[in-house]
Amino acid sequence: MRRLAEFIVDKRNLLLIIFIAAAVGSMIMSSHVTVIQELSDYLPDDTETRQGLDIMDREFTTFGTAKVMIQNVTYEQARQIADDLKEIKGVSAVEFYEEDDEDEQEITDGEALRDSYRDLAALLTITFDTPEEDGEAQAAIADVREALADYDTWFYTTVDKDDSADLQEDMKVILVIAAIIIFAVLWFTSGTYMEIAIFMLVFTMAAILNMGTNFIFGEISFVTNAVATVLQLAMAIDYAIILFHRFMEEKGSVDTREALVRALEKGIVEISSSSLTTMAGMVALMFMQFGIGLDLGRVMVKAILLSMLSVFGFMPGLVMLWEQQINRTMHKSFVPKIEFWGKIVVAIRRVTVPVFLVLMVVCGYLSNTSTYIYDTNSVESARMNEFLTSKREISKVFEMDNTLALVVPKGDYDSEAAILAEAEQIENVSSAMGLANVTVDENEEYVLTDSLTPQELADITDMDIDTIRLLYRFYAWKEEKYGAFLNSIDEFRIPLLSMIDFIYGEEENETFDFDEDLSSDIQDMHRTVSDAREQLEGEEYSRMILNVSGPVEGEETFETIDRLRDIALQYYHEAYVVGDSTSDYDLSKSFTQDNMMITILTALFVAVILLFTFRNYSLPVILVATIQTSIFINFTIPAVTDNSMFFLSYLIVSSIQMGATIDYAIVITSRYTELRRVIPDKREAIVRTLDQSFATIITSGTIMTSAGFVIGQITSNPVIASLGTTLGTGTLTSIILVMLVLPQLLYMFDGVIMKTYFKKKLSLDNRSRDEKGGEQA
């Protein structure tokens, strides 16, 4: 370590150049990282939803849609608005109630009407000509918004919803506020004002390197992209503080170069050891079935490693470069003495520790009774974006349907028709649509997949029967269906879909010359059929669309998914039910296993690290119990307040809280064990431990707590907001237990701790060296 420290200090200018060059390269490469916006993309490959989504992406076109609620309008106004919107370029259809007659009572009281118009509010469902990411759909929704600018409207659509751009704007604000908070905290706890600038530059370097090197993964999730920088700041700023404070301690007795060498010699080992518990929590995330854990875990492990490298390799050059400025800006520390707190802690231990033990048991049970939300669009936050606000407001007036897709192998229209008929009998299935039940006549006698005779086709069109017979004969000849000529052509049946394609194709080839009106009808009919086939029939699979009433997730909805799948599997060897609800269903099934795995692995990894850090059998138990109880308390709050928690917040924050905040417990415990070697009175050791550890814990803890709460209050993305709020609450809880309960446990179990070291007795030489090291620390 001495040789490595000397090399770093002596080659500091070269290292500065290397780091600056790496930062420039990282800024360039950061633009090559793809950000994934959908959590469903991280579902395991063997889940039904993932497989179904892959098929749908490959085989079908999904046109953009929008639900728009217009308030304070009459029915006649709403009807006119719907008609006007149909004329906008890029709008394919506008669904709104159309009365069958002019009866005023029907318009006022009709049940069907209430699905589209009630309480002076109209609900319009708009379908666009192209998928939502297409420029034409983007332009169309902009024109719709402009057309409705003078009305009270709520737009529930993803066509022009840009979560990535909104989140980037939010994060700019969050980083500015976080920087202000960090500046204030460091100003309060610093010994020289110049160290604040050094810390900020070191962190900025580490953050840039981490963002740029994400290109090695190719893509990252929007969750990781949003929170990684703030989490890196909150979890890794300790490293710079530890090294600089070591340097300032050594500087009092030696020159600047030697002080920096000694600080690095001791700090590299100390910081590396401290970072292991934080990385342990991140590594545990990587074992999740849900791929978001691997995504966040590997980026954060890299972030911690790059933060350490920046502290060890970049920071020494800055310290040497600005030595004079550091000396000029020295000031008295503003951190107050808190010896009174240590005395209070010891005095109330007989009350606090029993309460802690009760909380451990009770909260351990209650935290497992919390209900969880798996749907990202059901999570509420302090700031709601337009999408979720519109959903909430529309749901107050109209019942919002939940859309599911049922994907099966194509070609068997009879089986599709049977499935659709059975699906419509399920109580909470409000509608089911597929090619096999799309009607083509006013009497709803025929559907697109029916095979029709010439007379039946004539009945549903305005075409002359003789013309149709001619077309049937030509079709039979072209398709080599020579059996049609053996009997009367009037008995020959052709699938309607095939006949529409045939007539359209022959007109395009100018085989037939239809009059203008008939040609226009053929064009419209073919366009309608083509749109339907794009959405409902692919190369190998067919898709059926079902609207399900009720919540997006929950026992009733999940039972409906199982019933739909069972119905489909009666007719096909494979079937996929796909939608937001199935994604939530798959996540709910993997949650229990992921939760158990993360809890066990995090605690196990941290306990093993603590075991070898302290070389003591009892201390890991005390420390893990303290932090795990703070986790229990954090996740008991939603249970007792009857609020559902977003499942991802639980999984990620429980890991971060154990891995990162255990450092606070390590600071207290290390200081106490060092002081106990030189102070016989354990009460005095506790008082001095809390007083000397306060600055470190309040600095790191305030930064992480503030970062969490700022994220939770500023961002309008519900997933990120939920993570932030939960992390802020968890960190604050950990700080309270570490500053209150942990010292009491160390005091009460002092005898056990002293007897459970790997080596019970220290030689006199070792004891002297330990005492000296404890005094320096």
Side-chain angles (χ1 to χ4, degrees):
M1 284 302 132
R2 173 78 187 184
R3 288 196 296 271
L4 176 60
E6 289 177 341
F7 175 83
I8 291 172
V9 174
D10 293 337
K11 302 295 183 181
R12 59 186 179 276
N13 292 329
L14 175 62
L15 289 174
L16 282 175
I17 293 172
I18 292 174
F19 270 93
I20 292 171
V24 173
S26 293
M27 285 189 284
I28 295 172
M29 295 309 298
S30 62
S31 62
H32 296 277
V33 181
T34 302
V35 179
I36 304 299
Q37 300 296 330
E38 297 294 333
L39 289 179
S40 58
D41 288 355
Y42 292 92
L43 286 168
D45 291 336
D46 59 353
T47 59
E48 180 181 351
T49 302
R50 181 69 266 149
Q51 294 173 2
L53 285 171
D54 289 342
I55 292 172
M56 291 205 304
D57 289 341
R58 185 175 66 245
E59 299 249 337
F60 306 105
T61 298
T62 302
F63 296 134
T65 61
K67 285 187 180 293
V68 182
M69 184 173 72
I70 309 171
Q71 293 184 304
N72 302 313
V73 291
T74 65
Y75 171 81
E76 289 75 15
Q77 287 177 309
R79 178 74 269 157
Q80 185 60 51
I81 290 171
D83 292 338
D84 292 342
L85 294 180
K86 291 177 184 178
E87 302 303 318
I88 292 178
K89 182 181 177 182
V91 173
S92 171
V94 179
E95 294 181 25
F96 186 65
Y97 177 79
E98 293 187 29
E99 67 275 14
D100 295 326
D101 53 56
E102 297 299 326
D103 183 69
E104 185 70 25
Q105 194 64 30
E106 172 69 20
I107 293 177
T108 305
D109 298 330
E111 187 60 36
L113 170 66
R114 293 182 62 78
D115 292 336
S116 298
Y117 182 82
R118 64 171 70 182
D119 301 330
L120 293 178
L123 182 63
L124 279 58
T125 302
I126 303 172
T127 304
F128 299 95
D129 287 329
T130 57
E132 62 180 37
E133 65 273 9
D134 189 270
E136 185 176 332
Q138 300 284 326
I141 190 66
D143 290 340
V144 170
R145 286 183 181 273
E146 184 178 352
L148 299 177
D150 295 331
Y151 296 92
D152 297 330
T153 56
W154 297 99
F155 280 80
Y156 180 62
T157 179
T158 57
V159 174
D160 57 352
K161 179 172 177 271
D162 192 344
D163 285 334
S164 179
D166 293 342
L167 196 52
Q168 286 179 4
E169 291 302 314
D170 289 345
M171 294 312 298
K172 290 177 183 177
V173 177
I174 288 169
L175 285 173
V176 169
I177 296 175
I180 294 173
I181 293 172
I182 292 167
F183 182 87
V185 172
L186 293 178
W187 179 83
F188 179 74
T189 60
S190 67
T192 169
Y193 295 125
M194 198 62 205
E195 74 180 75
I196 302 174
I198 293 174
F199 293 163
M200 289 298 192
L201 285 174
V202 171
F203 168 72
T204 301
M205 174 62 70
I208 291 173
L209 293 177
N210 192 45
M211 288 187 288
T213 52
N214 285 334
F215 80 91
I216 63 178
F217 305 128
E219 56 187 32
I220 61 174
S221 70
F222 75 93
V223 175
T224 302
N225 188 55
V227 302
T229 302
V230 179
L231 289 181
Q232 182 182 6
L233 170 61
M235 291 192 292
I237 201 164
D238 280 359
Y239 309 153
I241 295 172
I242 291 171
L243 181 63
F244 191 83
H245 286 183
R246 280 283 185 192
F247 164 72
M248 294 300 289
E249 290 173 6
E250 299 290 346
K251 194 173 182 297
S253 56
V254 296
D255 62 33
T256 301
R257 179 191 175 279
E258 178 62 23
L260 201 50
V261 169
R262 291 186 182 182
L264 280 168
E265 181 183 359
K266 299 173 183 177
I268 289 174
V269 176
E270 182 180 354
I271 292 169
S272 300
S273 300
S274 175
S275 69
L276 285 177
T277 56
T278 307
M279 285 193 285
M282 300 303 101
V283 170
L285 279 177
M286 296 165 66
F287 287 88
M288 285 173 56
Q289 283 184 304
F290 189 33
I292 199 74
L294 174 62
D295 180 76
L296 180 61
R298 65 189 183 183
V299 170
M300 289 311 304
V301 167
K302 178 166 64 67
I304 294 166
L305 290 173
L306 289 172
S307 296
M308 286 195 294
L309 286 176
S310 298
V311 168
F312 299 151
F314 183 63
M315 184 172 167
L318 297 178
V319 172
M320 292 294 289
L321 184 65
W322 289 328
E323 177 187 0
Q324 293 183 359
Q325 286 80 359
I326 291 172
N327 293 331
R328 290 172 186 169
T329 57
M330 297 282 288
H331 66 85
K332 184 179 180 181
S333 175
F334 300 112
V335 179
K337 295 290 184 180
I338 61 162
E339 293 181 354
F340 72 92
W341 176 250
K343 296 175 182 178
I344 293 173
V345 166
V346 174
I348 64 173
R349 67 187 184 278
R350 289 187 176 85
V351 176
T352 311
V353 171
V355 172
F356 167 77
L357 296 175
V358 172
L359 283 175
M360 182 189 298
V361 176
V362 173
C363 292
Y365 169 76
L366 289 177
S367 64
N368 289 317
T369 64
S370 296
T371 56
Y372 297 95
I373 297 173
Y374 302 95
D375 178 47
T376 57
N377 293 328
S378 297
V379 183
E380 294 194 357
S381 55
R383 284 186 62 224
M384 299 277 283
N385 57 32
E386 183 199 38
F387 181 78
L388 293 181
T389 303
S390 295
K391 179 185 178 183
R392 181 182 62 190
E393 294 302 316
I394 295 174
S395 298
K396 292 178 181 178
V397 183
F398 299 98
E399 183 174 357
M400 298 279 281
D401 282 337
N402 168 31
T403 302
L404 297 175
L406 179 58
V407 179
V408 296
K410 69 173 284 189
D412 188 349
Y413 295 132
D414 290 338
S415 294
E416 287 185 39
I419 291 173
L420 290 166
E422 288 191 50
E424 288 180 325
Q425 299 305 311
I426 300 176
E427 183 177 354
N428 60 331
V429 175
S430 55
S431 67
M433 181 186 71
L435 287 179
N437 74 345
V438 176
T439 58
V440 294
D441 61 318
E442 293 182 358
N443 297 324
E444 300 185 357
E445 185 176 353
Y446 302 110
V447 297
L448 278 175
T449 56
D450 283 341
S451 294
L452 306 183
T453 65
Q455 185 59 54
E456 289 169 337
L457 182 58
D459 290 340
I460 63 172
T461 65
D462 294 330
M463 295 177 66
D464 179 71
I465 184 62
D466 292 330
T467 302
I468 292 178
R469 287 185 180 125
L470 177 61
L471 290 170
Y472 266 58
R473 290 189 182 97
F474 192 61
Y475 177 91
W477 175 72
K478 290 268 292 191
E479 300 294 326
E480 299 182 354
K481 306 288 186 181
Y482 301 122
F485 299 102
L486 299 178
N487 300 311
S488 170
I489 195 68
D490 288 335
E491 302 300 321
F492 185 39
R493 290 182 175 274
I494 301 176
L496 181 57
L497 287 171
S498 301
M499 196 62 193
I500 292 173
D501 288 340
F502 172 74
I503 295 173
Y504 176 78
E506 293 306 320
E507 191 200 20
E508 289 290 295
N509 294 332
E510 298 184 352
T511 305
F512 299 103
D513 184 18
F514 298 114
D515 62 54
E516 186 175 342
D517 289 340
L518 182 55
S519 176
S520 178
D521 290 342
I522 292 171
Q523 296 280 346
D524 291 342
M525 195 183 322
H526 182 264
R527 187 182 302 110
T528 300
V529 170
S530 295
D531 287 349
R533 294 182 94 161
E534 275 192 80
Q535 298 182 80
L536 302 174
E537 188 173 59
E539 292 292 327
E540 299 178 10
Y541 292 88
S542 290
R543 177 168 67 170
M544 289 165 269
I545 307 297
L546 306 104
N547 287 319
V548 179
S549 59
V552 176
E553 60 183 74
E555 186 175 341
E556 182 182 1
T557 303
F558 294 159
E559 287 178 358
T560 300
I561 292 171
D562 289 334
R563 289 188 63 186
L564 289 171
R565 185 187 305 108
D566 293 341
I567 291 171
L569 290 176
Q570 294 175 14
Y571 300 91
Y572 296 93
H573 66 280
E574 63 173 323
Y576 308 91
V577 185
V578 186
D580 289 341
S581 293
T582 62
S583 176
D584 301 337
Y585 194 13
D586 288 336
L587 291 172
S588 70
K589 288 189 289 187
S590 67
F591 171 72
T592 302
Q593 182 176 342
D594 281 343
N595 180 29
M596 184 67 68
M597 182 179 298
I598 287 176
T599 301
I600 293 174
L601 287 179
T602 305
L604 182 62
F605 290 161
V606 169
V608 170
I609 292 168
L610 293 176
L611 183 67
F612 289 99
T613 297
F614 291 106
R615 293 179 297 172
N616 186 290
Y617 296 109
S618 59
L619 284 175
V621 177
I622 294 172
L623 269 62
V624 170
T626 303
I627 300 301
Q628 186 61 56
T629 301
S630 73
I631 295 173
F632 288 155
I633 294 172
N634 190 21
F635 296 119
T636 294
I637 296 173
V640 298
T641 57
D642 198 27
N643 289 321
S644 297
M645 174 179 291
F646 186 52
F647 82 105
L648 200 57
S649 299
Y650 184 96
L651 293 175
I652 293 177
V653 173
S654 61
S655 181
I656 292 176
Q657 191 176 343
M658 172 62 78
T661 63
I662 197 76
D663 278 355
Y664 309 154
I666 293 174
V667 169
I668 292 287
T669 305
S670 297
R671 184 72 64 174
Y672 177 73
T673 55
E674 290 170 0
L675 289 173
R676 277 291 284 130
R677 292 190 179 104
V678 296
I679 299 177
D681 183 8
K682 60 183 180 180
R683 179 179 179 278
E684 179 62 22
I686 287 292
V687 171
R688 290 179 60 182
T689 293
L690 289 173
D691 183 56
Q692 295 174 17
S693 303
F694 176 66
T696 302
I697 293 175
I698 201 65
T699 302
S700 177
T702 301
I703 290 172
M704 182 172 282
T705 302
S706 300
F709 285 133
V710 168
I711 290 173
Q713 294 299 313
I714 297 299
T715 182
S716 59
N717 186 292
V719 175
I720 306 302
S722 175
L723 284 173
T725 301
T726 309
L727 178 62
T729 306
T731 305
L732 182 60
T733 307
S734 295
I735 293 172
I736 293 172
L737 290 191
V738 163
M739 289 296 291
L740 175 62
V741 176
L742 178 60
Q744 296 170 338
L745 294 176
L746 294 174
Y747 182 91
M748 296 179 71
F749 292 98
D750 181 82
V752 175
I753 294 169
M754 295 304 169
K755 294 178 182 178
T756 51
Y757 280 99
F758 287 2
K759 295 179 180 180
K760 294 184 178 179
K761 294 183 179 180
L762 297 174
S763 68
L764 182 60
D765 290 340
N766 282 340
R767 183 179 177 87
S768 299
R769 284 197 296 270
D770 288 341
E771 289 175 359
K772 184 178 179 181
E775 290 171 352
Q776 289 177 345

